Amino acid sequence: MFSCKICSGHIDLIHDFGRMPIANHYLKTAQADEFFYHLQLLLCQKCSMIQLGECVAPSQMFHENYHFISSTSQNMSHHFERTAFDFLQLVQSRRDPFIVEVGCNDGIFLKHVACQGFRHLGVEPSKNVAQASRAKGIQIIEDFFNEKSALKIFNDKGPVDILYGANVITHIEDLASVMKGASALLKKDGWFIFEDPYFPHVMEKGAFDQIYDEHIYYFSVLSVDCVARSFGFKLVDVSPQPVHGGSMRYYLRSSQSSAQPKAVVGKYLQLEQKMGLNALSGYLKFCEKINQNACSLKNMLRKIKEEKNQIVGYGATAKSSTLLNYSKIGVDLLDYITDNTPPKIGKFSPGQHIPIVSHERFVEDHPAYSLLLAWNHKEEIFLKEASYRNNKGKFITYVPQLEIV
Ligand code: SAH
Ligand code: TYD
Ligand code: ZN
């Protein structure tokens, strides 16, 4: 039996996905052994936090051979360049501001801070991507962000103006330690800013593939507001971000700061209460969609395959691990998955063991159908694959709806 990781409250099951492999764990051979855990999505009706039950140990997910490399998307590179510009404006009138990023990966955000000579630090436990950041002239500590590492940074380098985390705060099971660390590290008028996929959008789109081991928390404005209050912060602003299928950026400040929450925070809180996100009944439709979407996609793939067409996957995303393993879509339906991340190529997908191949192979093959597993990068990929699409190549998309385009 689990209790809420945030408030110890009673917890209810939203959906059980069964046993799943580690989503970013690509195998060297099709026969390799792998670790499975039980993927269950749970809701605390007291603090509205959606969360996993069993969690994989951080050292099993984030290590010297982490396969997700941020700069593989140009659209994301532009997003983080704009973000750096906005944040530098927030602190430019301050004397020698200090910006710390949690989970900086290959430096996709911090390189824009470092190259302008601002004081900065990336906290990144995965050695291979930490090295890639260092190679770009970024200051790094190879560690997990938590209360202990935050205190060390504070003692060594002093207080922080902006603490930022993109697509990482959701990864850290001990959220209390993150909040205490943020509180110890920040100046009184500092900012704790983070962004993650916004769960109400995940539900609207039926994008159940966003649920996997690394995503331990599924934030809404309601749940972030509650966490902020519990740890001496207030949520003063929120800003939707058009990435990863719909993210939300949360701006937290010390509860002692004179800053007042913007009206938009109240608007979202009302909206989410109306959606019933603090009660199990608010999730029934989403649960129905999970099985409907999984079934209708598999039926479509089967039909296309029966007509003797080749189908491949496009984008070996972590998300696709949940989709392919839950729907049991394997090598009988997808010949391979193409991806542009060098360390993924030549390996096999977790669970279904589908080969991952280069983009060159995809261009050579020109398969009749491609299942767009990286649906969050649709615009970027459609631009890149204009010639494939103009020459009878078809994409199958399943989020926000199932269609052939
Ligand atoms: N911010 C980047 C990377 C997101 S992937 C982007 O949005 O593209 C998450 C990154 O956080 C990985 O590089 C992982 O190694 C790192 N990470 C995971 N747990 C962490 C923790 N406790 N502290 C700091 N970084 C962490
Ligand atoms: P992404 O959707 O960002 O994240 P996650 O793994 O967390 O679900 O992953 C995108 C994947 O798609 C990544 O492995 C790189 C790959 N990709 C391509 O192969 N080609 C492209 O043009 C783009 C944008 C991504
Ligand atoms: Zn709770």
Side-chain angles (χ1 to χ4, degrees):
M1 268 302 278
F2 294 102
S3 56
C4 174
K5 297 181 204 299
I6 305 297
C7 75
S8 306
H10 171 77
I11 208 138
D12 287 296
L13 179 69
I14 298 178
H15 193 78
D16 192 335
F17 290 89
R19 278 160 49 79
M20 287 284 155
I22 296 178
N24 261 317
H25 189 78
Y26 295 88
L27 308 169
K28 286 199 181 122
T29 66
Q31 293 77 32
D33 276 344
E34 39 186 336
F35 173 85
F36 284 82
Y37 70 101
H38 191 176
L39 179 61
Q40 285 180 307
L41 191 68
L42 310 171
L43 169 72
C44 171
Q45 298 195 42
K46 195 166 148 208
C47 73
S48 308
M49 186 64 84
I50 303 167
Q51 53 200 279
L52 297 188
E54 182 184 348
C55 292
V56 175
S59 58
Q60 273 185 279
M61 298 187 282
F62 310 113
H63 41 62
E64 67 290 345
N65 198 14
Y66 184 56
H67 278 87
F68 177 75
I69 317 266
S70 297
S71 300
T72 45
S73 157
Q74 276 204 1
N75 189 39
M76 291 310 294
S77 295
H78 294 148
H79 169 74
F80 286 116
E81 186 175 1
R82 281 192 300 273
T83 302
F85 179 81
D86 291 348
F87 288 2
L88 291 178
Q89 290 221 314
L90 266 184
V91 294
Q92 68 177 0
S93 60
R94 298 184 176 194
R95 203 166 60 84
D96 198 19
F98 183 27
I99 298 177
V100 172
E101 188 187 8
V102 182
C104 63
N105 199 273
D106 66 350
I108 191 168
F109 163 77
L110 270 186
K111 70 177 180 190
H112 298 291
V113 177
C115 76
Q116 295 200 47
F118 283 90
R119 267 199 314 137
H120 67 274
L121 184 68
V123 188
E124 175 51 70
S126 298
K127 206 182 191 75
N128 59 328
V129 288
Q131 291 285 20
S133 275
R134 270 201 202 94
K136 292 175 184 146
I138 296 166
Q139 300 290 315
I140 292 287
I141 56 164
E142 260 172 50
D143 205 348
F144 288 94
F145 183 85
N146 51 34
E147 191 180 9
K148 191 169 163 217
S149 57
L151 283 171
K152 183 159 180 356
I153 297 168
F154 180 82
N155 289 331
D156 293 350
K157 300 185 184 284
V160 166
D161 292 86
I162 295 181
L163 177 67
Y164 176 50
N167 307 300
V168 62
I169 301 304
T170 161
H171 293 20
I172 310 176
E173 183 177 9
D174 194 351
L175 195 53
S177 179
V178 170
M179 299 304 289
K180 287 182 200 160
S183 178
L185 189 54
L186 280 174
K187 289 183 183 166
K188 275 205 187 77
D189 60 353
W191 302 85
F192 179 23
I193 307 173
F194 61 92
E195 64 191 68
D196 286 291
Y198 180 53
F199 198 67
H201 287 334
V202 170
M203 295 215 298
E204 267 163 37
K205 296 188 158 92
F208 70 86
D209 53 354
Q210 286 283 18
I211 299 162
Y212 57 90
D213 54 341
E214 288 183 14
H215 291 168
I216 293 167
Y217 296 104
Y218 297 82
F219 297 129
S220 58
V221 178
L222 266 175
S223 58
V224 171
D225 184 61
C226 194
V227 171
R229 285 169 198 277
S230 312
F231 290 95
F233 283 98
K234 55 185 160 188
L235 179 61
V236 296
D237 198 4
V238 293
S239 154
Q241 302 295 316
V243 295
H244 290 310
S247 284
M248 188 64 84
R249 183 175 290 166
Y250 305 94
Y251 293 76
L252 276 60
R253 304 199 83 173
S254 159
S255 55
Q256 278 148 35
S257 114
S258 57
Q260 289 304 309
K262 288 194 179 163
V264 64
V265 177
K267 266 193 209 155
Y268 272 102
L269 289 174
Q270 266 187 357
L271 196 80
E272 291 178 6
Q273 246 143 11
K274 235 172 136 184
M275 289 168 75
L277 291 191
N278 44 2
L280 204 53
S281 53
Y283 297 84
L284 295 177
K285 254 204 186 135
F286 174 58
C287 290
E288 278 170 23
K289 267 193 193 170
I290 294 177
N291 286 332
Q292 275 168 9
N293 291 5
C295 276
S296 45
L297 172 63
K298 192 160 181 189
N299 288 339
M300 180 189 268
L301 296 178
R302 274 198 190 123
K303 202 163 161 270
I304 294 173
K305 200 74 187 172
E306 274 162 21
E307 288 161 4
K308 305 258 178 293
N309 292 298
Q310 185 185 20
I311 319 174
V312 305
Y314 197 111
T317 55
K319 288 183 278 298
S320 68
S321 175
T322 299
L323 178 86
L324 302 177
N325 288 303
Y326 186 66
S327 316
K328 301 206 168 43
I329 295 171
V331 282
D332 51 330
L333 292 170
L334 300 184
D335 285 8
Y336 57 76
I337 302 172
T338 181
D339 197 278
N340 66 358
T341 313
K344 290 183 185 175
I345 295 163
K347 300 213 172 110
F348 296 84
S349 75
Q352 294 299 324
H353 303 189
I354 302 171
I356 319 287
V357 308
S358 66
H359 185 252
E360 289 72 22
R361 164 82 188 275
F362 170 81
V363 173
E364 255 171 49
D365 254 18
H366 202 84
Y369 289 87
S370 300
L371 175 61
L372 186 60
L373 299 167
W375 52 262
N376 48 318
H377 299 298
K378 179 174 163 188
E379 269 177 41
E380 182 175 345
I381 290 171
F382 276 22
L383 265 179
K384 200 188 267 175
E385 302 302 347
S387 134
Y388 170 70
R389 294 183 68 218
N390 289 335
N391 287 293
K392 295 193 178 153
K394 299 243 180 303
F395 274 103
I396 304 162
T397 64
Y398 57 95
V399 174
Q401 71 253 345
L402 186 59
E403 55 183 344
I404 297 177
V405 278

